[in-house]
Amino acid sequence: MVSFLIRDRRMAMNAYLLWIFAVFIVAISAWNGGWREALWSSLFSLAIALIAYACLWQPRLVLNQAGVTVRNIIRTAWIPWSELDDIENRYGLYLHSSRLTHKVPVWALPSRAITLGYAGRKSTEDDAIQLDWDSPAGAYHYTMDIPQACTALDVSRTRMTAPQRRGSSQPSLPQPPHSTLRLNTAALTALAIAVVLVICAVCLAIYLFFS
């Protein structure tokens, strides 16, 4: 099955930078203070890495032949193409489904409303990044801004719902038949471990200070 994984370029870059920074902290601590300081800093560094994973790497927008997956930090939404009613670009990207009571925010593509870069700008053909749905099965990664993602979603929805309008059936795919919401256990687990690591680092710092 072909799937397209979409993120904002800045979020992916920030995740890489934080991971590099976490490694740098451990290296500097080991060089400056020996194994004790390296052990203490490694707890904070691992916490930073987990927070970057949960908040910057986990959020994503995934498109496949069956529908759209919106993975945010807390929850993951699944919306089949036939239930994707509206694509809203107003101070952020939001998806509307007839089966969900609230619109779904796409945290993987944050708004640039503060800089007024393209807040609320409508997508046009000039924004289009062509998604090749005839590619061999696999996951393909793209970085887009909100107008580009809106165009990709709109074009993909038109393509995937056209067979239904002609009375043809969609290919059978291992996805729920209707829109669903569930917790993003991977991101929440990473954040919980990060909190535990910070607490352990504070306790270790107190122990090393008084020992």
Side-chain angles (χ1 to χ4, degrees):
M1 179 173 61
V2 177
S3 62
F4 299 100
L5 192 154
I6 300 170
R7 289 191 181 94
D8 180 82
R9 184 184 303 274
R10 296 180 309 167
M11 290 187 67
M13 183 61 66
N14 289 339
Y16 286 122
L17 290 175
L18 282 177
W19 289 333
I20 294 172
F21 178 67
V23 174
F24 178 76
I25 290 176
V26 176
I28 291 297
S29 298
W31 178 76
N32 184 58
W35 69 269
R36 283 195 172 189
E37 189 169 331
L39 176 62
W40 175 76
S41 64
S42 64
L43 297 175
F44 274 116
S45 297
L46 186 54
I48 291 172
L50 288 172
I51 292 172
Y53 168 78
C55 299
L56 299 175
W57 192 256
Q58 269 290 306
R60 65 192 67 178
L61 180 68
V62 183
L63 283 58
N64 61 29
Q65 289 96 330
V68 183
T69 300
V70 181
R71 183 176 295 176
N72 294 325
I73 298 173
I74 299 175
R75 294 192 299 182
T76 297
W78 158 253
I79 305 175
W81 291 114
S82 59
E83 296 180 4
L84 181 58
D85 299 328
D86 191 25
I87 304 164
E88 179 185 340
N89 171 18
R90 183 174 177 81
Y91 304 111
L93 178 58
Y94 299 88
L95 305 184
H96 296 256
S97 171
S98 56
R99 291 272 180 168
L100 301 177
T101 56
H102 301 286
K103 60 185 179 182
V104 178
V106 181
W107 293 1
L109 298 165
S111 171
R112 289 165 173 77
I114 295 177
T115 61
L116 299 179
Y118 51 71
R121 179 164 67 87
K122 293 183 179 298
S123 57
T124 65
E125 292 183 359
D126 295 335
D127 296 317
I129 293 180
Q130 298 297 327
L131 302 181
D132 186 4
W133 288 100
D134 297 320
S135 301
Y140 299 87
H141 296 251
Y142 286 85
T143 56
M144 299 185 185
D145 57 27
I146 291 179
Q148 290 171 335
C150 286
T151 302
L153 284 165
D154 193 38
V155 171
S156 300
R157 176 178 58 176
T158 301
R159 174 189 173 98
M160 295 305 168
T161 56
Q164 295 179 353
R165 292 198 298 268
R166 296 196 300 265
S168 302
S169 59
Q170 290 283 354
S172 177
L173 294 170
Q175 299 285 359
H178 299 296
S179 301
T180 59
L181 280 174
R182 68 179 189 276
L183 291 176
N184 185 352
T185 54
L188 293 176
T189 300
L191 290 175
I193 295 174
V195 171
V196 172
L197 288 172
V198 171
I199 294 173
C200 291
V202 172
C203 294
L204 180 60
I206 295 173
Y207 170 77
L208 293 176
F209 180 79
F210 289 103
S211 63

